[in-house]
Amino acid sequence: MGCWVPKVCRTGSGAALLKDAATAERIVETVVKAVRIPVTVKVRAGWDYSEFAAPELAQRFESAGAKMLTLHARFAKQGFEGEADWDLVRRLREAIHIPLVGNGDIRSGSDALRMFTETGCDGVMVGRAAISNPWRLAEIVAAVEGRQIPRPPSLRERIEVALQHLRWLIAFEAGVAEWDEVEAIPQPTVEDAERRACRRLRGQIPLYIKGYPGASQARARLTTCSSLEEFRDVLETFAKACPDPSPGIGAAV
Ligand SMILES: Cc1cc2nc3c(=O)[nH]c(=O)nc-3n(C[C@H](O)[C@H](O)[C@H](O)COP(=O)(O)O)c2cc1C
């Protein structure tokens, strides 16, 4: 119940449910009765600044049997504007008994630790900072567990993972779980899946190399690629020309 996008909210779904506590509660209750696994709910703070609706909703969800709650500490009307207000996480923590996950603007291990100490939350959720930078999650987990922060990935690792990401999305678009299974699928279906996957990742693949010298020129080429082969060629050409592919240069998203 956190999606603020107008086409979703117009139908009464997503964050629009924050304005309709009775329906939201009925949905949670129905799901809890229908499944045997723990049901968790994610909400925003409320529809707009006029009402911090999350505490009342969360109490209803808790009574309906939800086992954990996540708060994206923005109001629906904000979209992604402004900063997440972590004090709302602290206030919600005081209002409910089930575990609460704090979410919004966590970009590093120190942000995650600050979210824990400032709000008393039980867990943290990371969204945008992990897009095309899954290593960021390992850094954050290490910081939270008090372990040494892993070294940043090299350019080679970034490229390998970017291509793996694309292979997995092609497999997904082709309706199978693993890249190995793609071989058994008719060629025209795979080609369609490949085109769709490439279109979907054109914006994300460039983020894997963001921050390295020459990345913006490579980005211009990556945003027009239509096949795995093309992506591989552009990335390999970029890697060969990159004057300093050492770990740590690639910037976080
Ligand atoms: C591209 C994109 C897709 C998202 N899709 C979902 C989704 O399907 N379900 C969901 O609960 N939140 C979704 N979110 C919201 C994130 O889970 C998260 O609440 C939000 O990005 C704030 O956290 P962050 O500051 O760490 O990014 C999405 C966010 C982005 C940027």
Side-chain angles (χ1 to χ4, degrees):
M1 302 178 197
C3 185
W4 62 284
V5 176
K7 76 170 180 202
V8 170
C9 291
R10 262 198 299 275
T11 68
S13 316
L17 284 163
L18 303 171
K19 293 186 286 186
D20 184 357
T23 304
E25 181 182 359
R26 219 167 52 245
I27 290 171
V28 174
E29 207 171 60
T30 307
V31 176
V32 167
K33 283 192 187 132
V35 301
R36 287 162 187 234
I37 52 174
V39 173
T40 69
V41 186
K42 177 156 173 266
V43 294
R44 283 191 177 227
W47 182 252
D48 63 31
Y49 289 108
S50 65
E51 192 193 3
F52 179 31
E56 192 212 317
L57 280 163
Q59 283 162 357
R60 283 172 173 249
F61 298 159
E62 186 171 342
S63 306
K67 292 286 184 270
M68 188 172 82
L69 202 96
T70 300
L71 175 65
H72 175 189
R74 281 190 177 82
F75 291 85
K77 282 283 188 186
Q78 281 181 270
F80 281 96
E81 296 290 312
E83 280 184 16
D85 180 355
W86 291 3
D87 197 48
L88 300 174
V89 180
R90 183 191 62 75
R91 287 165 60 192
L92 184 58
R93 178 56 289 172
E94 287 171 359
I96 55 172
H97 302 95
I98 52 177
L100 175 65
V101 176
N103 169 239
D105 298 348
I106 296 171
R107 300 185 189 91
S108 64
S110 57
D111 287 344
L113 290 168
R114 203 160 48 77
M115 172 69 98
F116 278 114
T117 51
E118 287 180 11
T119 70
C121 68
D122 306 279
V124 295
M125 181 184 282
V126 177
R128 289 164 297 169
I131 294 178
S132 298
N133 193 2
W135 301 275
R136 183 49 50 91
L137 296 174
E139 287 169 34
I140 291 173
V141 171
V144 168
E145 292 180 347
R147 288 187 284 107
Q148 193 179 357
I149 306 297
R151 66 163 178 76
S154 64
L155 177 59
R156 173 53 41 203
E157 286 172 278
R158 287 175 179 274
I159 289 176
E160 291 307 325
V161 172
L163 293 172
Q164 182 63 34
H165 188 170
L166 181 54
R167 282 188 215 101
W168 276 333
L169 191 60
I170 295 170
F172 175 80
E173 290 283 351
V176 293
E178 296 292 339
W179 174 245
D180 296 352
E181 297 170 50
V182 168
E183 272 174 27
I185 294 175
Q187 195 57 23
T189 310
V190 176
E191 282 169 11
D192 272 358
E194 186 169 0
R195 265 192 297 275
R196 281 197 303 278
C198 289
R199 263 201 308 273
R200 288 180 64 182
L201 284 191
R202 276 177 189 164
Q204 283 189 41
I205 298 281
L207 298 176
Y208 279 98
I209 57 168
K210 189 177 168 188
Y212 283 91
S216 17
Q217 290 89 320
R219 179 176 179 277
R221 291 194 292 278
L222 289 167
T223 50
T224 62
C225 289
S226 301
S227 69
L228 174 62
E229 227 27 68
E230 280 180 57
F231 272 108
R232 200 194 336 257
D233 285 350
V234 175
L235 288 170
E236 292 300 347
T237 307
F238 168 75
K240 275 197 201 107
C242 187
D244 186 3
S246 54
I249 291 181
V253 177

